[in-house]
Amino acid sequence: MARPRRDVFAFFADALNLERITPGFLRFHITTPRPIDMRPGAVIDYRLRLYGLPLNWRTRIEAFEPERSFTDIQILGPYRRWRHQHDFVDVAGGTEVRDVVDYEMPLGPIGGWAQRFFVARSLDRIFAFRRQAVAEIFGR
């Protein structure tokens, strides 16, 4: 993005913007009362639909380094384990956002099957939508 890192980080550090960059098919909504103070230990609750099933999801901000990175982990939700690190890197002409997601499905072999045939594709679709939405918000 052709914007300074502080601006891009500030957008992502405002948890309410997550609703703006999440595809509509998830019917994603933050239920935590506002304002949300993004800091280590902050807990954020969401409601969404995954494959038509209503889900509640709770994450905790595990690490928060202003203008550099933050990491959220799932403490309640559809995954056995979920850790999402957001890194913000200066590049020629602006800022690059790097998402590193480490997750594990529940239900052993059944979860592994679901991950291969549904979940990985859905996550690719969600993050592709997010990249497009952020590009439109900040301008290419």
Side-chain angles (χ1 to χ4, degrees):
M1 279 158 269
R3 297 288 288 272
R5 185 170 38 144
R6 73 178 168 277
D7 294 349
V8 176
F9 184 89
F11 176 83
F12 280 87
D14 180 347
L16 299 180
N17 285 326
L18 188 53
E19 291 181 2
R20 292 177 63 188
I21 61 172
T22 300
F25 75 86
L26 288 174
R27 295 158 102 185
F28 182 90
H29 179 67
I30 295 173
T31 59
T32 299
R34 282 102 165 134
I36 297 171
D37 181 18
M38 289 288 279
R39 57 175 171 65
V43 174
I44 306 170
D45 291 310
Y46 318 90
R47 188 172 306 128
L48 66 141
R49 285 191 162 302
L50 196 56
Y51 304 108
L53 301 171
L55 291 172
N56 293 317
W57 193 340
R58 174 174 283 171
T59 61
R60 182 178 66 236
I61 303 301
E62 180 179 61
F64 189 84
E65 296 180 53
E67 297 186 19
R68 301 187 71 74
S69 71
F70 66 93
T71 303
D72 58 90
I73 60 169
Q74 173 191 281
I75 53 180
L76 172 72
Y79 298 94
R80 182 172 183 186
R81 181 185 74 249
W82 173 274
R83 184 177 188 273
H84 181 185
Q85 182 173 323
H86 313 252
D87 292 319
F88 301 83
V89 180
D90 290 326
V91 295
T95 304
E96 182 179 328
V97 180
R98 297 178 183 161
D99 292 291
V100 179
V101 177
D102 176 41
Y103 70 97
E104 182 182 349
M105 297 296 297
L107 305 175
I110 295 170
W113 179 86
Q115 189 275 331
R116 278 190 302 282
F117 292 102
F118 298 105
V119 176
R121 280 186 247 172
S122 291
L123 288 174
D124 288 345
R125 184 175 167 203
I126 290 164
F127 279 94
F129 179 92
R130 179 177 290 185
R131 284 188 299 275
Q132 178 67 31
V134 169
E136 289 174 7
I137 290 166
F138 284 102
R140 297 186 189 274

